[in-house]
Structures are given as C-alpha cells and as structure tokens.
C-alpha cells in the first residue's frame, strides 16, 4: 500500500503536459482483440489501469511491446481463455472483454468486473448489446454462433455498453445501427482506431452505422486526458498559483469549466488552460453524459466549491457518487449529502491524514492536501496512480513538496 505525504499551502506554478486519456486508452487496448495483426497505440499513459489491461490481453496471447509512450500489439496468435479473475476484477474496463472476446472467439465469460466502488455498476446494457447481435447469454458465459448485424437503441446512455456494441458491430455480418449512444470524445477516439483497422463506421446525430468487416491492425494516438487536465487546472486555482495545462483540446474540458466561470471563476485559454481564480459565487454542478459536466470531475470540483463560496453537486450518471466526501471532511470540507446530490459549504481547509476512497475521490483529497497549509498524508494512494501518470514527478515540477512511499 502506497502513502502520499504532502507539505501543502504553497502556490504551485508552471506548465503541465497532460498524458493520454485513461478512458480513451482502455477501450482501444481491448479493441485490439477484435483485429488480427499488428496495431500501434501512441501516447498511451503508463498508469495502473493500462498496465492491468495490457496484462489481460497478454494473458490471452497478444504480444505487447512498449517503446516510449507507444505500444505495439500483435493479436495474431490470441486464443480463447478465461482471463485471471484477479486481473478482471481490478479494473472496470475489463467489461470491454464481453464485446471483444465475443467478437473474436464467439465466446466470453461473465466475470466479476472491477472498478471504483462508488455505486452499484450493472452490466445489463452490455448484455443487451451481446444479445442484440445474436449471442446467447446465460450461466456465466455468452456464446454466439456467428454475430449478425443488428439495430440497437439503448434505453440509457452508457459509455461501456456503447464500446461493446461498437466492437460487436464492427465484426458482425451485415449492417448495424446503434442509437442513443454515448458521445464522449473517447468514443470517437475508439472509432478512429477501428477505422484505421479497416472498420466501416459512420456517425450522425441520431445513430452510429457500422458495416461489419474483418479487421486488421490499426494505428491511433490517444487524445489528451480531460480529467487529468481538469484536475491540474483545479489545483492552480486552489493553491492560488499559476499552472498552465497543455496537451488537451479546450473543447473536451468546456463542460467542466462552464459552471465555474458562470460563478465568476477566471479562466485563461490563451496559451494552454489556466484556471486563475476560484468561483466568486455559489456553483451549481450537474454531472450528465457528454456534453454535460463529466461525472469523473465532480469529485474534483468539491474542493473548489469548499474553498470558495460553496454550491451544490448533483450526479445523474452515478447517482450515489458522494461517498468520497467523508474522506474530504478530514480536510475541513463541510457538506450535506443527499441520495443523488450534495451541498458543499464554504469551508476552512486544514492539513489531514485520510485514506484514498477511490480514484477520483483520492485525487480530490490530494488537491486538498496540496492546498491546505501543513503536512498531510493520504493512505492507499496507489488507487490514484490508476488514473494519473507520473503524478509525483509532475507535481514536483510545479513546486509541490510531495513524497510517495510504496
Ligand atoms: C466509464 C468510465 C468512467 C466514467 C463513466 C461515465 C471507463 C473505464 N470508465 O464507465 O470513468 O465515470 O464512463 O462517464 O472508461 N449502466 C447501466 N447498465 C449497464 C451499464 C451502465 O444501468 O449495463 C448505468 C450505470 O449504472 C451509470 C450509467 O449507466 O448510471 C453510466 O455508466 P457507463 O457510461 O456505462 O459507465 P462506464 O462505461 O462503466
């Protein structure tokens, strides 16, 4: 178990180059399974979840070779096996095995898929996708005797189920149409990869249309991580510093900054992104599917609200995603949590020791530790490294006094 020790209270300054996006990298790694050949993924972040995803595809016979921030994946000799439960249960993205394994081998195991434990995380929409393309679901396995193109309209928008539907449609026989799909930028990054591997995909406002084909290897560059970008931008305002975030398209973080600037925070996007000040008035945040406020940044927004004039946070993606607030309370954050929202009050921040509750909640605790004067410790901090590349090095380059002990 790792522990982060921080001496906080200093204004942090400098430039930080964000890494490739975790949520874009993971579906692309699993998507290589449905291709036969060699793929290259550039700007792949070296983070915990990516390492586990690579180990999973290697355990199925993929040959992976890292060269700098690029990964070469050869999927020629993959065979159907049950991936180790300990790996599958370590990351949520292992749900992409449902579509990928079914598309490549005609079979997939329903295992105990992992991920942050902030809510119940059902897989009914993933199974609906498998079933729609002609697979039989039951008894812990999914079997298909040849996937057939299908029309599917999801009753609810899901990033993961959209990924699985794309993987199935890309190799199914005939045309498919996917409606009410997730529109997150990382879905389009996955489509870039699939197209480079030969997939026939058209996206309109109403639907994704896919013509099934045999796919070969492809090449793609992972987009900059909007969640990492938002986290460093928040740190700038929280510490009263001047951090310029580069390497991400401003559009992908628009929704995060919109409620903050509406409440008077000053954002500078001249050369990179700098959040210059905290919001001046109460903030109202509603996390929703893209293009709404990103749910993964709602825990990151809580320290900003607490350090400023407070506000309310509602999450319509993961309704109960407020357990992390108990860890933030040790830093002085005052709040009242309701079943699907929380009220955050202006708070006097202080240094504290706490346990990282989950990936983004842990990152929020780290922001508070850096902002509050004095020494703070965050235990079980390895969970933060699941989503932030080189966090110790990047924070030190901004002037932070930080040490991570494994
Ligand atoms: C992905 C991201 C995660 C992010 C989330 C929402 C990865 C590895 N994870 O998670 O960081 O928080 O998108 O942007 O990329 N749902 C169902 N049935 C299902 C699947 C989902 O009801 O079968 C519901 C969920 O309970 C939730 C909502 O749909 O309320 C959204 O979930 P989804 O978009 O699927 O999130 P993930 O893909 O798991």
């Amino acid at each position: 178990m790792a522990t982060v020790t921080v001496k906080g209270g200093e204004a942090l300054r400098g430039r930080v180059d964000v890494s490739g996006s975790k949520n874009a990298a993971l579906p692309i790694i699993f998507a290589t399974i449905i291709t036969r050949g060699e793929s290259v993924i550039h700007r792949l972040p070296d983070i915990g979840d990516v390492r586990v995803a690579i180990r999973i595809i290697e355990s199925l016979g993929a040959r992976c070779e890292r060269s700098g921030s690029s990964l070469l994946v050869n999927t020629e000799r993959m065979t159907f096996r049950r991936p180790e439960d300990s790996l599958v249960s370590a990351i949520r993205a292992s749900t992409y095995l449902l579509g990928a394994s079914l598309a490549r081998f005609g079979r997939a195991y329903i295992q105990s898929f992992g991920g942050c434990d902030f809510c119940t995380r059902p897989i009914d929409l993933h199974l609906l996708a498998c079933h729609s393309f002609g697979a039989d679901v039951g008894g812990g396995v999914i079997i298909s005797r040849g996937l057939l193109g299908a029309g599917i309209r999801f009753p609810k928008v899901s990033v993961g189920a959209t990924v699985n539907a794309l993987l199935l449609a890309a190799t199914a026989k005939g045309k498919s149409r996917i409606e009410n799909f997730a529109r997150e930028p990382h879905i389009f990054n996955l489509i870039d990869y699939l197209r480079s591997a030969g997939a026939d995909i058209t996206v309109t406002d109403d639907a994704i249309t896919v013509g099934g084909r045999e796919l070969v290897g492809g090449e793609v560059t992972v987009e900059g991580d909007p969640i990492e970008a938002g986290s460093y931008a928040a740190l700038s305002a929280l510490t009263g510093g001047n951090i310029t975030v580069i390497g991400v398209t401003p559009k992908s973080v628009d929704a995060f900054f919109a409620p903050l600037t509406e409440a008077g925070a000053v954002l500078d996007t001249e050369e990179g992104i700098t959040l210059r000040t905290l919001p001046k008035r109460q903030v109202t945040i509603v996390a929703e599917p893209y293009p709404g406020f990103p749910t993964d940044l709602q825990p990151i927004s809580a320290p900003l609200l607490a350090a400023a004039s407070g506000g309310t946070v509602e999450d319509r993606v993961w309704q109960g995603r407020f357990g992390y607030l108990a860890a933030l309370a040790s830093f002085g954050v005052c709040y009242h949590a309701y079943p699907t929202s929380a009220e955050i009050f202006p708070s006097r921040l202080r240094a504290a020791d706490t346990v990282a509750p989950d990936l983004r909640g842990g990152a929020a605790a780290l922001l508070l530790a850096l902002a509050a004067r004095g020494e703070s410790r965050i235990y079980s901090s390895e969970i933060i490294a699941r989503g932030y590349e080189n966090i110790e090095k990047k924070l030190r380059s901004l002037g932070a006094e930080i040490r991570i002990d494994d």
Side-chain angles (χ1 to χ4, degrees), residues 334-404:
C334 301
Y335 69 95
H336 191 97
Y338 302 95
T340 62
S341 66
E343 202 169 342
I344 303 203
F345 303 105
S347 313
R348 210 182 157 78
L349 302 181
R350 57 172 184 261
D353 291 354
T354 195
V355 177
D358 56 49
L359 164 51
R360 304 302 171 188
L366 180 53
L367 297 187
L368 288 165
L370 290 159
R373 193 153 294 283
E375 189 164 292
S376 295
R377 256 173 293 273
I378 299 168
Y379 302 106
S380 298
S381 66
E382 64 282 353
I383 203 163
I384 305 172
R386 279 185 41 200
Y388 292 85
E389 187 178 47
N390 287 334
I391 193 161
E392 189 178 7
K393 198 169 150 209
K394 286 186 182 181
L395 287 170
R396 278 202 183 143
S397 78
L398 299 171
E401 270 194 63
I402 177 170
R403 198 184 70 234
I404 302 184

Side-chain angles (χ1 to χ4, degrees), residues 23 85 197 330:
N23 289 348
D85 288 310
S330 1

Side-chain angles (χ1 to χ4, degrees), residues 22-24 26-27 49 91-96 118-128 156-163 182 184 186 227 288-290 294-296 316-319 321 359-360 386:
K22 161 185 161 297
N23 289 348
L26 293 168
D49 276 24
I91 58 170
R92 188 65 194 168
S94 50
T95 43
Y96 303 144
F118 44 67
C119 274
T120 44
R121 300 185 79 166
I123 58 164
D124 56 315
L125 300 175
H126 300 259
L127 299 181
L128 173 73
K156 178 174 183 179
V157 177
S158 154
V159 174
T162 301
V163 169
E184 269 68 4
H186 42 281
I227 314 302
E288 284 180 304
Y290 190 86
T295 168
D296 286 352
R316 293 184 185 163
V317 179
W318 301 109
Q319 278 88 357
R321 191 177 190 170
L359 164 51
R360 304 302 171 188
R386 279 185 41 200

Side-chain angles (χ1 to χ4, degrees), residues 28 110 135 145 152 180 201 214 239 256 271 301 356 379:
I28 292 170
I110 301 172
R145 282 174 232 297
I152 173 166
N180 202 24
I201 302 178
E214 277 198 8
T239 64
F256 170 60
E271 289 176 37
S301 69
Y379 302 106

